[in-house]
Amino acid sequence: MLFFLVSFLSFILLLTKLFLLQLPSWVSEMKLLSLLLLQESLAHLIHFFKTHKLTTTLFLQPSSKMIITKKNEPRPDVVVVEEEAMNLLDMPELALDLILEKLNPEGLLSVSNVCTSLRERCTSDYLWERHFRERWGRVIGESARREWEFYFDSLRESKKNGVERSNWVMETILRAWPCSWFVKESGSHLLIDDDDDDGVDVDDDGGGDCVMAWYLALESGRFWFPAQVYNREQNGHVGFMLSCYDAELSYDSHTDTFKARYPPHGQRGTNMEEGVEWERLRAPPVSSPAHDLHISKCLNDLRPGDHIEIQWRRNKEFPYGWWYGVVGHLESCDGDEHHCRCYNSDTVVLEFNQYSPGSRWRRTVIGRKDHREEGNESDGFYGGIRKLHDKYEISTWRRLWPTEILE
């Protein structure tokens, strides 16, 4: 293995000199082949480390000369020769970066505990942005980002004012050292040790906007972030079928689900729901708060058959939820697409086909021009409209379709 590493490093040095030379244009193809060979060699090197279960401390020790020592054994003539230790930091920058890019979050946290130099590399936003995007990108929006920045600013301000906030692992997360104190590996995600009550002060200059710190804050479940939940209170409450409501979410790493905290509804206090799956979450598609009317910009483009979401609330004390529907035909139209002129009308018919034909929730009509909130205390109030263009959004609503027609 040592021979392979020496040959590999020599190859990299030779390759570097090759790129610095002024060679004919036909050599460019050979350069590309060399890069592919370099990538393949790195892949074999990583596979060897994983196969032989080599720890990072084995090859991160400072390099030293060959040492010949005699052990205190019954046979003093036996000489033990210790091999020269390998130093990962002596590898070329490109090779080291390629190795770190292939590590998962657990691997990056482990390597970051080796030394200061590797800590700076393994906690960089460059390495963590991909992991954050793949795991949290679908449920995290701008409102969650603002909430995180506000929390970190308040935490740092409390430190400046001498206010201690103990018993929360967030301080440790923001310092990100040492991560192994509270991070456990479990399958494809991280488990944060709930028994860790050690708090660490937050540096005045550091880390709250670090992608790794935000990632770990979400994994810990101690940071509640705003998002939206499809079919809220799914435990038998059919009144919210095919709707999506604002909530504050906290991740539970033990069940790989979320806790949802819904805002008060009129006289009703805050409601909690546990066991919310990833598939029922999304980032808010608009920036409008739950109690504010969304300004519709798609009314003139609506045609029969279009998929839409519309704000609806029971009364003016309730927050809006987003409800799925489709644009229908006027009663005077026979539905023939060759003769349909519904798109020229000043009114738009909205259909909610999850309800039975005789239900009062089946159809409603809104004005196409200067649409504002419409409705009454009996049937509720309809607010802003979003036209759905994304096939993933439409398929999500279809997947959540109730098994039985609602009344």
Side-chain angles (χ1 to χ4, degrees):
M1 182 61 194
L2 180 61
F3 174 77
F4 173 76
L5 285 176
V6 173
S7 303
F8 176 72
L9 294 177
S10 302
F11 171 75
I12 293 177
L13 294 176
L14 180 60
L15 182 62
T16 303
K17 294 181 179 180
L18 179 63
F19 275 87
L20 295 178
L21 294 177
Q22 298 294 331
L23 298 175
S25 57
W26 58 267
V27 185
S28 58
E29 296 182 359
M30 294 300 297
K31 293 183 178 180
L32 178 59
L33 180 61
S34 301
L35 286 176
L36 294 176
L37 181 59
L38 172 61
Q39 183 178 3
E40 185 68 19
S41 301
L42 288 174
H44 284 290
L45 178 62
I46 295 174
H47 176 72
F48 179 85
F49 288 152
K50 291 182 178 179
T51 304
H52 293 76
K53 299 182 179 180
L54 295 178
T55 61
T56 53
T57 55
L58 177 63
F59 54 88
L60 291 173
Q61 299 173 354
S63 59
S64 59
K65 298 181 179 179
M66 298 287 290
I67 303 174
I68 301 177
T69 60
K70 295 184 178 180
K71 291 188 176 182
N72 296 325
E73 297 182 356
R75 295 181 59 186
D77 56 322
V78 176
V79 179
V80 179
V81 180
E82 296 184 0
E83 294 185 357
E84 182 180 3
M86 296 174 291
N87 191 342
L88 183 63
L89 296 178
D90 290 339
M91 297 184 66
E93 296 286 330
L94 177 60
L96 180 56
D97 289 342
L98 288 175
I99 292 176
L100 296 180
E101 287 176 5
K102 294 182 178 295
L103 295 179
N104 58 19
E106 293 87 347
L108 289 174
L109 290 173
S110 298
V111 177
S112 68
N113 288 327
V114 174
C115 64
T116 302
S117 177
L118 284 174
R119 176 193 173 190
E120 293 177 355
R121 287 179 177 273
C122 293
T123 60
S124 66
D125 289 351
Y126 169 75
L127 292 176
W128 282 88
E129 282 174 350
R130 177 176 62 85
H131 297 300
F132 189 96
R133 183 173 59 254
E134 291 177 354
R135 181 158 175 81
W136 294 99
R138 192 177 61 82
V139 300
I140 293 295
E142 285 301 318
S143 57
R145 181 181 296 276
R146 291 193 298 268
E147 190 73 18
W148 164 253
E149 293 173 351
F150 173 78
Y151 168 73
F152 175 74
D153 290 340
S154 63
L155 184 64
R156 184 165 51 184
E157 189 65 24
S158 66
K159 177 183 180 298
K160 291 181 180 179
N161 296 333
V163 178
E164 294 185 359
R165 301 179 61 177
S166 60
N167 198 27
W168 196 5
V169 77
M170 192 66 70
E171 288 88 342
T172 307
I173 292 176
L174 295 179
R175 282 292 294 269
W177 181 268
C179 300
S180 59
W181 289 353
F182 54 89
V183 178
K184 298 179 180 179
E185 184 174 352
S186 176
S188 61
H189 58 275
L190 301 177
L191 294 179
I192 307 299
D193 192 353
D194 296 331
D195 297 331
D196 192 331
D197 294 334
D198 293 334
V200 180
D201 292 336
V202 180
D203 290 337
D204 293 338
D205 59 349
D209 54 349
C210 173
V211 178
M212 187 199 74
W214 193 11
Y215 184 102
L216 296 179
L218 291 167
E219 291 284 342
S220 72
R222 313 290 177 87
F223 176 69
W224 292 74
F225 65 94
Q228 291 184 346
V229 181
Y230 291 100
N231 295 354
R232 58 170 291 181
E233 301 176 49
Q234 202 176 46
N235 51 350
H237 201 310
V238 298
F240 293 105
M241 293 298 292
L242 289 190
S243 68
C244 197
Y245 275 80
D246 286 72
E248 291 183 332
L249 282 302
S250 172
Y251 179 64
D252 184 355
S253 59
H254 301 285
T255 61
D256 195 27
T257 59
F258 293 84
K259 299 176 182 178
R261 186 166 59 197
Y262 301 103
H265 278 200
Q267 301 298 325
R268 183 181 180 184
T270 302
N271 192 32
M272 294 283 295
E273 180 183 5
E274 297 185 358
V276 179
E277 300 88 355
W278 285 84
E279 292 76 15
R280 291 176 54 203
L281 299 184
R282 74 174 184 183
V286 297
S287 59
S288 304
H291 285 84
D292 292 356
L293 178 71
H294 172 67
I295 304 302
S296 307
K297 299 180 180 180
C298 62
L299 294 176
N300 293 329
D301 299 328
L302 294 179
R303 301 288 189 273
D306 286 344
H307 301 264
I308 58 97
E309 291 179 11
I310 185 170
Q311 289 178 312
W312 183 87
R313 57 182 173 179
R314 184 64 178 174
N315 59 52
K316 291 185 178 293
E317 294 181 356
F318 280 35
Y320 284 113
W322 289 96
W323 294 74
Y324 171 74
V326 295
V327 179
H329 293 274
L330 298 172
E331 292 184 356
S332 59
C333 179
D334 60 3
D336 187 344
E337 62 180 7
H338 299 290
H339 301 91
C340 177
R341 295 293 182 268
C342 295
Y343 57 85
N344 290 327
S345 175
D346 290 338
T347 59
V348 179
V349 176
L350 302 179
E351 296 181 345
F352 305 93
N353 296 324
Q354 64 268 34
Y355 295 96
S356 60
S359 173
R360 61 174 176 166
W361 311 112
R362 175 79 176 199
R363 287 166 61 96
T364 190
V365 179
I366 64 171
R368 190 184 294 269
K369 296 182 179 180
D370 301 326
H371 167 66
R372 304 294 294 178
E373 186 179 60
E374 302 178 11
N376 51 59
E377 293 291 337
S378 176
D379 297 332
F381 296 88
Y382 295 89
I385 298 178
R386 292 180 60 236
K387 181 178 178 179
L388 302 182
H389 301 276
D390 188 273
K391 293 183 179 179
Y392 178 80
E393 283 189 294
I394 298 173
S395 65
T396 299
W397 286 113
R398 291 296 189 183
R399 177 174 51 81
L400 297 170
W401 197 268
T403 56
E404 298 179 358
I405 299 297
L406 307 178
E407 294 297 330

